[in-house]
Amino acid sequence: MIKWSRFVLFLLVVAVLASLMVTTTNSTAKNITLGLDLKGGFEILYRVEPLEQGQTVTPELLKATAGMIDKRVNIGGVTEPEIVIEDPDRIRVKIAGVTDQEKMRELIGKPAVLTFRDETGKVVLRGSDLAPDGASVGFDEYTKEPVVILEFAEASKFAEITRQNIGKVLAIYLDEDVLYTPRVNEVIPNGQARISGGYTVEEAQELADILNSGALPANLVEMQATSVGASLGTMALQKTIYAGYVGGALIFLFMLFAYRMPGMIANITLAGFIYFCLVVIDWMNATLTLPGIAGFILAVGMAVDANIITYERIQEEIKSGKTILSAFRAGQRRSFITIIDAHVTTLIACAVLFYFGTSSIQGFAIILTMTIIVSIITNVFGSRFLLWLIIKANMFKKPFWYGVKESEIGEL
Amino acid sequence: MSSKPQDTTVKFDIVKNRRKFFMISGLILIIGLLSMAIFGLNLGVDFKAGTRLDVYIGKEFSTADVEAAIKSQVTDVSFKSVTKFGDQNAWATTTFDQTIDPDHLAAIEKVLQEKYGDQVSKQESTVNPEIARELALKAGIAILIASAGIIIYIAIRFQFLFGIATVIALLHDAFIPIAMFSILRLEVDLTFIAAILTIVGYSINDTIVIFDRIRENLRVMKVKTPEDLEHMVNVSLWQTMRRSIFTVLTVFFTALAIAILGSEGIRNFSLALIFGLISGTYSSIFIAAQVWVSLKKREMAKRRYTPSPQEG
C-alpha cells in the first residue's frame, strides 16, 4: 500500500532544498572571498630587521611595523589587506585584486626616511621634525605645478637652518634618493618648505601621504613573494569551476546508472552537500584558493563514497533475500562504522596539514575538513532520511529500483 | 546472517597470486628509486629558492624571443630554458637560480607586452633559500606525523597487523606519485605535498573499507587453516570489489576533469592525485590485504607450535 504522506514529505524536503538553492546560491557564491590565485594579487613574506645593528626585533616593533604596512597599503587604495605577524620576526602581507603590484610593493617596502642635507652631506633636518600631518599638496603660484608643502613642528629650527645655508643648496632626500635640490635664497621664518619636482597631482599626494605616515620603524626584507596577474586569476577560476561542473555531471550520471533510486537520492544530497559547503565557506569567511577548490572538488568525489559504501551494502542485503526495508536498516548500520573510520583518518591528515602547512595549504586543509563534516551530515544522515521516506512510502518496492536484478536475489 | 560470504564467487584468486603483485610493486619501487638516484626530483622554487616566472602570452610565440626579453633585463643570472605550457601553449615558464628583483620581472613583462600585446600577464613566485629549507623540513615532518597519527588510529580501531599492512600500503602510495614525478620530470612544489597527503588519506580510506570487511568476515567464517584464511580474504576482496572500483571511478572523474580542464596552477596537483588514486586503489586490493595475509599466516604458523591460551 502506498503511503502518500511519506512521499509528500519527501517531495516537500526536496522542494525546500531546491528553492533554497535556486534563490540563494548565486548571492552566497558571490560573497565568498577569493584568494589571490583566483582574483590576482600578491603575497609577500617579509623579514623584519632592525634599522640599526645590535637592536633586537621585539613584538612591539613587529606590531608597529605591521601597523605601518597597513597604513601604507591604504595609501595605495586597497581596503582589505591581510597582514599577519609570524613569529619570530616575519610579517606576511596578502593583497588581492591590485592592478599595479610593483608600485604597491615599492610603497610597502620604502623605509621613507626624509632628510635635509647641507652641501657637506651632513643631515640637518629629518622627517621626524615635521609637524603631524605636516605634508600636504599645494600649487606653485607661477607655474601652477603641484608641489609638496612641508610644515615643520618648530618654525624657529627651520629658520635657523636656512639662515646657515643662505646661497647654498639644501638637498631633500627620501631614503637615498634625491627628491629636490633647492637653493636657499633667504631665511624662511614660517617653517614651510616645498618640494617641486614636476609631479602630477597624484604623485604629489602619494609622496605627501608617505611622508605623513612617517618612516618605517624597521627594514623589510622580502623572503618569499607570489604574485598573480588579475586576469590570470579570473581565468584560473573559470577553468577550474568548469572542470568541477564536468566532474560533477559525470558523478551524477554514474550514480543514477549504478544505483537508480538510491542514486537519485545520492544526487539530491550531493547537490545539498555542495550548496551547504558554499554556505559554510561564506559563513566562515574562509578564503577560497585554487588548492581549496581542488580539495572541494575532490571532497565531492569522497562524499559520494559514503553513498557508494552504503548502497553497495543495501544491494548485498537485498540480494541475500531481505525485504527492502530490512536491507536498508542492515546496510545503514553496517556501513556507518566503515564510513566513520575512513573519515577520521582523513581528518587526522587535515589536522597535520593545518598545523604544519603554509597559508595556501592551510586553506586546503580547512576546506577538506569542513567538507568531511558537511558530508557526514548530508550524505550519511540526510541521504539516510530521504531514502527512509522513499522506502516507507512503499512506492518503489521492486529490486530494480535499487539496481538489483530479480535473478540475483538468493533464497533466505 | 545477511550476505553469505561463503557464496561469494571468487572470479580470480588474488591471494594466491600475491607474490606477483609484490613483484610488480617492487619493480616500480626499484625503477622509481633509480630514477630518483640518477635524476633526482625536479624541485620547484618552493623547495629550492629562486624565482619562478610564468608569463601568459595568449598567442603564438617563440621561446627564443622570450629568452631574449629576459636576457635584456636580467643579465647576470642563469635561468632554465623557457618552455611552453598550458592551453594552446599560450604560457611561457622559466625558473631562475637566484631570487629576482620584482622590478626586473615587471620590466620583462613590459618588453613582452610591447611585442605581443596587452593580454600578456605574468605570475611570479619567489622564495629565498632560508624559507625554502624551512618549507622542505616542515613538509617532511608533516608527512611523518600524519602517517604516525593514522597508524595509531588504526592500531586502536583494528589490530596491530592491520596497522603494519596499512603503513606499508601507505608508504607504497606516497612513493608511487613521487617516483612518477621523478620519472616524468614534473615539478614538485608545495601543492604536491598537499596532493600526497590527500592520497595518503584517500588510500587509507580505501584500505580501511576492505579491512573492515575482512574483520567482519573473520567473525562470521570459521578461519582455522591458512587455506581458510586465503579464501576468506579472497571473498572479502570480491565482496568489496564493486565498491572499490566505483569509488575510485567517481574520484577519478573529478581528478581527471581538473587535470584536463582546470587551471594550469593545479595541473601538477591533479596529476599527482591521479597517480595516487590508481596506486591507492591497486595497493588496497593487491598489496595491503596481501601483506596482511602473509603476516597473519606467519602468526598462525607460530601459534601452531606454541599454542596460546587466548587463541579462539
Side-chain angles (χ1 to χ4, degrees), chain B residues 3-4 9 17-18 24-25 42 126 218 235 261 273 289 305:
Chain B
S3 53
K4 296 174 188 161
T9 44
N17 290 296
R18 64 178 182 277
I24 292 175
S25 286
N42 180 11
T126 297
L218 208 52
V235 165
L261 305 168
L273 276 188
Y305 297 118

Side-chain angles (χ1 to χ4, degrees), chain A residues 258-279:
Chain A
Y259 300 107
R260 316 277 160 84
M261 192 62 220
M264 182 67 205
I265 286 169
N267 289 341
I268 294 169
T269 53
L270 197 60
F273 164 77
I274 295 168
Y275 171 73
F276 286 119
C277 282
L278 287 179
V279 171

Side-chain angles (χ1 to χ4, degrees), chain B residues 290-304:
Chain B
Q290 313 311 325
V291 168
W292 182 78
V293 170
S294 298
L295 293 171
K296 192 75 186 171
K297 273 175 89 172
R298 186 174 294 179
E299 189 192 76
M300 284 170 92
K302 261 190 203 157
R303 282 203 185 158
R304 194 155 304 146

Side-chain angles (χ1 to χ4, degrees), chain A residues 47 90 105 223-225 227 239 259 298 305 312-313 315-317 320 334 338 341-342 353 364, chain B residues 2 122-126 128 130 134 142 153 157 197-198 205 212-213 216 242-243 246-247 264:
Chain A
R47 186 175 55 226
R90 291 177 192 158
R105 275 163 99 155
M223 303 193 78
Q224 186 188 2
S227 88
K239 284 176 102 172
Y259 300 107
L298 188 77
D305 186 39
E312 279 294 319
R313 269 294 176 156
Q315 283 189 348
E316 272 178 50
E317 305 289 340
S320 77
R334 284 157 183 271
T338 312
D341 274 343
L353 272 185
F364 173 81
Chain B
S2 53
K122 72 169 168 37
Q123 61 192 34
E124 160 223 343
S125 180
T126 297
N128 85 356
E130 189 185 330
E134 223 177 271
Y153 181 78
R157 292 282 300 139
L197 278 152
T198 313
N205 259 9
D212 246 6
R213 188 58 73 102
E216 190 183 322
R242 255 170 62 101
R243 175 265 160 195
F246 282 8
T247 300
E264 281 72 24

Side-chain angles (χ1 to χ4, degrees), chain A residues 14-81:
Chain A
V14 174
V16 168
L17 186 68
S19 54
L20 201 63
M21 284 168 60
V22 167
T23 51
T24 62
T25 302
N26 255 333
S27 58
T28 309
K30 280 217 182 80
N31 257 336
I32 291 174
T33 325
L34 297 174
L36 58 93
D37 51 357
L38 295 173
K39 156 161 114 168
F42 65 90
E43 174 177 343
I44 305 175
L45 183 63
Y46 290 105
R47 186 175 55 226
V48 176
E49 286 179 349
L51 288 174
E52 280 154 48
Q53 278 197 331
Q55 280 184 316
T56 51
V57 177
T58 58
E60 289 73 40
L61 179 65
L62 278 177
K63 237 185 194 163
T65 311
M68 182 64 80
I69 292 174
D70 191 32
K71 245 187 194 168
R72 292 194 169 186
V73 170
N74 283 325
I75 295 172
V78 175
T79 43
E80 277 180 60

Side-chain angles (χ1 to χ4, degrees), chain A residues 24-179:
Chain A
T24 62
T25 302
N26 255 333
S27 58
T28 309
K30 280 217 182 80
N31 257 336
I32 291 174
T33 325
L34 297 174
L36 58 93
D37 51 357
L38 295 173
K39 156 161 114 168
F42 65 90
E43 174 177 343
I44 305 175
L45 183 63
Y46 290 105
R47 186 175 55 226
V48 176
E49 286 179 349
L51 288 174
E52 280 154 48
Q53 278 197 331
Q55 280 184 316
T56 51
V57 177
T58 58
E60 289 73 40
L61 179 65
L62 278 177
K63 237 185 194 163
T65 311
M68 182 64 80
I69 292 174
D70 191 32
K71 245 187 194 168
R72 292 194 169 186
V73 170
N74 283 325
I75 295 172
V78 175
T79 43
E80 277 180 60
E82 211 185 311
I83 298 167
V84 188
I85 295 175
E86 292 183 7
D87 287 327
D89 60 353
R90 291 177 192 158
I91 296 178
R92 186 181 294 275
V93 181
K94 281 193 228 177
I95 300 176
V98 190
T99 41
D100 196 345
Q101 299 179 5
E102 272 70 31
K103 191 173 131 198
M104 186 58 93
R105 275 163 99 155
E106 204 178 294
L107 207 60
I108 294 173
K110 220 176 214 164
V113 179
L114 185 76
T115 48
F116 287 73
R117 302 180 192 181
D118 65 16
E119 281 184 344
T120 62
K122 185 173 153 254
V123 175
V124 291
L125 274 171
R126 292 172 186 280
S128 49
D129 292 323
L130 289 180
D133 283 329
S136 58
V137 178
F139 293 92
D140 190 283
E141 309 89 270
Y142 304 111
T143 62
K144 301 292 172 213
E145 239 181 32
V147 293
V148 177
I149 297 172
L150 305 174
E151 187 152 349
F152 290 91
E154 293 171 62
S156 58
K157 191 172 172 187
F158 189 55
E160 178 58 32
I161 301 284
T162 47
R163 181 181 347 243
Q164 286 167 9
N165 286 283
I166 282 189
K168 294 179 189 162
V169 169
L170 191 62
I172 304 173
Y173 279 76
L174 185 63
D175 301 331
E176 288 312 306
D177 299 328
V178 184
L179 286 183

